[in-house]
């Protein structure tokens, strides 16, 4: 009796090495997961300090609900289909297949390996799909909380505006997700069919029906055709966003050929899916799989021919006449979008004299005509009001204030601290985190005010802030949150904060606001330090107190 050889050979026991790898993997997962959890915890503290804790948790709830829903759905679809495929492909085949090489029987554990691979790959793809769809949580949130339909509908499909703003983007994501799953399952079915064909070739058995293998491929073909049918059906609505040479939207050819034609192709794909599904319950035949593609292929072929004929022989010779209704739709939609349809037209005399401006009755407008260009003003302020190299004016804003009893249009610039411009000798943890914590003061000037030297007529300027208007004062000029602020600092510490320069000395202060995250005890401080990559300094600093922020 010949000796049976197991293939692959059973490896020698390596329990110790396996435990080490397992512990290492668990340690890495714990570190990675802990980092994510702590990051969410710190973000929650930050949102709570701003009074928006509900916004944070609502956002996280939507993100993780989206992730969970698509992960579970993806896994159930993939692994459920895999189990169905295994039923058709492995029912008649044993778990271990024996082949003879050199007269020695060798066992190939095909079915157990495929089963484990199916489970692992399904889980991995499910997590990846969930993560991808999680990024698009805002689309699903807008769809879920979409407002009621307005009275305005598009003239082609008769759909309300909220369908295109909220429903259609969600449909596009879901259809793309379904097509991805369908392609993966179709590829898996082909792979399993090849594996079983190879196994049957190695161990031919008369009790195995080769046509049974095609039923698994029929399942995935059905799913694939239905997914493409949904995607093509949705693509009809996307034609409203197409740009053309003259206008945007649906054209004559689109309305009379492509939109009904794509609907016919979508119906053809559904019919093909029914044919493929019948091939599952009946005795599987290859020709039925080929036949399932024919309805949609024939429809698409005639659609291409019809589109070419209509575009070249009906539209182009009379393009203006054919496209006139659709150009009118485009103009009407544009007028509605910008509320131009609510504008009342009336004649206005084209007077070119000074009296046409009616200066006596329009002094408020004339005295607020902006003459300062914000680029030039920004360059000027950087020269005369930065005072120290580590200050900067990142932007100029325009606002209105009541000055001397009248509303004046003014230009404002915040003097922010740029830690990147600190001298290299001052670039250390204490200076960057505890001392140089904020910018100081603003400048304000009328939009059309100039001095005799051509400089802005500053109403607020210098450090400390000086005002040329009696009722215009800045009581707390410290700037802890600004456009240049992209690093974290610690305030309410034992270190006095740099406020502003005073000649050869410096004015110091302490934070008196309520913003920021309270550091609290050592444990919370350790968590924040871990999240902010500050483990070597923050937990062990004697300057940081429990009430520090």
């Amino acid at each position: 009796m010949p000796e049976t050889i197991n293939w692959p050979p059973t490896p020698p026991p390596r329990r110790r090495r396996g435990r080490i790898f397992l512990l290492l993997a668990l340690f890495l997962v714990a570190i990675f997961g802990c980092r994510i959890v702590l990051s969410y915890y710190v973000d929650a503290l930050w949102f709570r300090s701003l009074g928006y804790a509900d916004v944070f948790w609502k956002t996280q709830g939507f993100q993780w609900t989206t992730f969970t829903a698509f992960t579970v759905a993806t896994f159930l679809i993939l692994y459920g289909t895999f189990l169905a495929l295994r039923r058709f492909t492995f029912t008649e085949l044993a778990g271990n297949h024996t082949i003879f090489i050199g007269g020695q029987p060798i066992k190939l554990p095909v079915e157990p390996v495929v089963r484990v691979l199916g489970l692992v790959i399904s889980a991995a793809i499910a997590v990846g799909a969930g993560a991808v769809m999680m990024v698009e949580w805002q689309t699903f949130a807008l769809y879920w909380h979409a407002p009621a339909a307005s009275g305005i509908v598009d003239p082609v499909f008769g759909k309300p505006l909220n369908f295109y703003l909220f429903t259609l983007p969600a449909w596009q994501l879901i259809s793309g997700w379904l097509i991805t799953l369908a392609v993966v399952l179709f590829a898996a079915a082909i792979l399993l069919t090849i594996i079983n064909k190879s196994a049957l070739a190695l161990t031919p058995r008369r009790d195995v029906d080769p046509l049974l293998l095609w039923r698994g491929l029929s399942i995935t073909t059905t799913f694939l055709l239905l997914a493409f049918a949904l995607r093509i059906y949705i693509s009809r609505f996307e034609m409203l966003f197409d740009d053309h040479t003259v206008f945007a939207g649906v054209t004559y050819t689109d309305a009379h050929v492509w939109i009904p034609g794509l609907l016919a192709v979508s119906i053809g794909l559904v019919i093909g899916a029914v044919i493929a599904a019948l091939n599952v319950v009946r005795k599987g035949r290859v020709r039925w799989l080929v036949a399932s593609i024919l309805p949609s292929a024939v429809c698409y072929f005639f659609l291409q021919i019809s589109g070419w004929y209509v575009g070249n022989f009906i539209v182009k010779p009379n393009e203006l006449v054919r496209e006139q209704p659709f150009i009118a739709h485009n103009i009407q939609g544009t007028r509605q979008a910008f509320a131009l349809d609510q504008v009342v037209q009336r004649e206005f005399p084209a007077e070119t004299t000074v009296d046409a401006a009616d200066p006596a009755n329009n002094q408020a407008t004339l005295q607020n005509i902006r003459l300062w260009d914000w680029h030039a003003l920004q360059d000027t302020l950087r020269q005369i009001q930065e005072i120290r190299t580590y200050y900067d004016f990142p932007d100029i804003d325009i606002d209105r204030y009541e000055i001397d009893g009248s509303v004046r249009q003014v230009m404002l610039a915040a003097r922010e601290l740029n830690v990147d411009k600190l001298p290299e000798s001052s670039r250390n943890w204490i200076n960057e985190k505890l001392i140089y914590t904020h910018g100081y003061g603003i400048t304000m000037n009328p939009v059309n005010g100039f001095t005799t030297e051509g400089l802005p007529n500053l109403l607020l300027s210098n450090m400390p802030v000086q005002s040329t208007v009696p009722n215009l004062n800045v009581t707390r000029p410290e700037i802890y949150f600004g456009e240049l602020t992209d690093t974290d600092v610690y305030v309410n510490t034992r270190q006095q904060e740099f406020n502003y320069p005073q000649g050869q000395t410096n004015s110091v202060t302490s934070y008196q606001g309520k913003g920021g995250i309270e550091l609290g005890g050592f444990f919370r401080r350790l968590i924040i330090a871990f999240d902010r990559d500050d483990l070597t300094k923050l937990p062990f600093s004697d300057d940081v107190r429990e009430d520090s922020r």
Side-chain angles (χ1 to χ4, degrees):
M1 181 177 181
E3 179 184 358
T4 301
I5 300 176
N6 290 327
W7 185 265
T10 304
R14 298 179 179 178
R15 295 182 179 179
R16 181 176 299 177
R17 182 182 300 178
R19 289 176 180 175
I20 292 176
F21 281 116
L22 178 61
L23 291 175
L24 180 61
L26 292 176
F27 176 76
L28 294 176
V29 170
I31 291 295
F32 182 72
C34 181
R35 184 63 181 265
I36 294 177
V37 171
L38 294 181
S39 177
Y40 278 109
Y41 173 71
V42 175
D43 287 343
L45 293 177
W46 170 248
F47 274 84
R48 189 175 69 178
S49 72
L50 298 174
Y52 289 100
D54 292 341
V55 175
F56 175 78
W57 292 117
K58 177 72 75 172
T59 299
Q60 296 305 316
F62 252 110
Q63 289 183 5
W64 287 104
T65 299
T66 303
F67 173 81
T68 303
F70 279 97
T71 299
V72 173
T74 302
F75 179 78
L76 292 178
I77 293 174
L78 290 179
Y79 195 64
T81 307
F82 169 77
L83 293 178
L85 294 176
R86 194 183 65 161
R87 177 184 177 186
F88 288 119
T89 54
F90 288 104
T91 300
E92 301 295 337
L93 301 175
N96 294 321
H97 303 282
T98 304
I99 63 174
F100 293 88
I101 299 179
Q104 297 292 333
I106 298 177
K107 291 184 178 181
L108 299 174
V110 177
E111 195 272 343
V113 172
V114 173
R115 183 175 65 250
V116 173
L117 284 177
L119 180 63
V120 173
I121 293 176
S122 298
I125 295 178
V127 172
V132 170
M133 302 304 283
M134 182 181 181
V135 177
E136 304 293 341
W137 69 272
Q138 291 181 341
T139 300
F140 296 106
L142 290 173
Y143 168 73
W144 189 261
H145 294 285
S150 62
I152 301 175
V153 298
D154 78 271
V156 179
F157 297 101
K159 295 288 186 181
L161 291 181
N162 66 336
F163 171 80
Y164 296 98
L165 295 175
F166 308 114
T167 304
L168 183 59
W171 283 15
Q172 290 170 329
L173 288 175
I174 292 175
S175 65
W177 169 68
L178 290 175
I179 287 179
T180 302
L181 294 185
V183 171
V184 170
L185 290 174
F186 188 73
I190 294 177
L191 180 62
L192 289 175
T193 302
I194 294 174
I195 291 175
N196 283 272
K197 284 287 188 180
S198 302
L200 286 174
L202 294 173
T203 58
R205 296 175 58 185
R206 295 182 179 180
D207 57 339
V208 176
D209 184 5
L211 296 178
L212 188 67
L213 303 178
W214 295 102
R215 291 185 176 178
L217 198 59
S218 300
I219 294 176
T220 57
T221 302
T222 301
F223 186 23
L224 185 65
L225 293 176
L226 289 176
F228 274 109
L230 177 62
R231 185 68 191 91
I232 291 178
Y233 178 80
I234 293 174
S235 67
R236 297 159 59 248
F237 301 104
E238 297 171 357
M239 290 185 175
L240 269 71
F241 304 98
D242 290 343
D243 288 325
H244 305 284
T245 304
V246 179
F247 64 98
V250 173
T251 63
Y252 180 91
T253 306
D254 293 337
H256 292 83
V257 178
W258 282 100
I259 290 177
L262 289 177
L263 180 61
V265 173
S266 182
I267 295 174
L269 288 169
V270 173
I271 295 173
V274 172
I275 296 174
L278 292 175
N279 202 41
V280 179
V281 297
R282 298 180 56 190
K283 191 173 182 180
R285 299 286 181 181
V286 181
R287 61 174 177 267
W288 288 105
L289 284 179
V290 177
S292 66
I293 307 174
L294 292 180
S296 58
V298 171
C299 291
Y300 189 74
F301 174 77
F302 282 105
L303 175 60
Q304 290 284 353
I305 297 297
S306 302
W308 173 80
Y309 175 79
V310 171
N312 287 278
F313 297 100
I314 296 180
V315 175
K316 286 187 177 181
N318 307 280
E319 189 168 8
L320 185 60
V321 175
R322 299 295 183 185
E323 302 290 9
Q324 184 174 0
F326 304 98
I327 295 175
H329 293 161
N330 184 264
I331 295 174
Q332 180 185 3
T334 303
R335 290 174 57 82
Q336 288 179 338
F338 292 96
L340 298 178
D341 57 332
Q342 302 176 18
V343 175
V344 178
Q345 296 184 6
R346 63 181 182 181
E347 292 185 3
F348 189 83
E351 299 181 12
T352 58
T353 62
V354 177
D355 294 336
D358 192 10
N361 295 320
N362 292 284
Q363 283 299 308
T365 301
L366 295 174
Q367 291 180 8
N368 283 281
I369 295 175
R370 182 163 68 92
L371 302 180
W372 268 107
D373 178 77
W374 74 270
H375 294 91
L377 178 62
Q378 185 181 38
D379 293 337
T380 303
L381 292 177
R382 284 172 173 171
Q383 293 179 20
I384 66 175
Q385 280 292 310
E386 275 189 357
I387 300 177
R388 293 291 187 272
T389 57
Y390 41 79
Y391 287 120
D392 196 2
F393 293 97
D395 196 11
I396 306 293
D397 296 299
I398 300 176
D399 207 340
R400 290 164 179 83
Y401 283 82
E402 186 174 340
I403 300 174
D404 295 332
S406 62
V407 177
R408 296 294 304 274
Q409 189 172 194
V410 296
M411 306 180 80
L412 299 163
R415 187 185 291 106
E416 294 191 37
L417 180 70
N418 190 343
V419 293
D420 293 332
K421 292 184 178 181
L422 287 174
E424 287 298 326
S425 58
S426 300
R427 298 296 298 273
N428 56 64
W429 186 83
I430 293 179
N431 281 340
E432 293 182 0
K433 298 294 185 181
L434 307 182
I435 296 180
Y436 291 93
T437 58
H438 60 275
Y440 186 91
I442 63 171
T443 65
M444 175 190 289
N445 63 282
V447 294
N448 53 8
F450 293 85
T451 66
T452 55
E453 295 83 8
L455 298 175
N457 182 18
L458 294 174
L459 306 178
L460 296 174
S461 61
N462 299 330
M463 292 190 289
V465 179
Q466 298 175 357
S467 173
T468 61
V469 180
N471 62 346
L472 187 65
N473 297 295
V474 180
T475 56
R476 297 299 304 184
E478 298 89 351
I479 301 174
Y480 286 87
F481 302 96
E483 297 181 24
L484 287 180
T485 306
D486 57 0
T487 58
D488 46 85
V489 296
Y490 308 114
V491 297
N492 276 355
T493 65
R494 292 184 176 88
Q495 286 282 350
Q496 289 289 303
E497 303 171 40
F498 169 77
N499 204 23
Y500 60 87
Q502 284 184 316
Q504 300 300 321
T505 62
N506 294 323
S507 173
V508 294
T509 187
S510 292
Y511 181 68
Q512 299 182 19
K514 299 297 182 182
I517 302 172
E518 188 172 336
L519 293 177
F522 178 78
F523 183 68
R524 178 188 279 195
R525 192 189 309 178
L526 188 66
I527 293 175
I528 294 175
F530 183 77
D531 178 70
R532 307 307 301 170
D533 294 326
D534 203 3
L535 274 174
T536 60
K537 300 291 194 304
L538 177 60
F540 311 104
S541 175
D542 294 333
D543 294 319
V544 179
R545 306 176 303 196
E546 288 191 0
D547 61 340
S548 298
R549 292 176 176 270

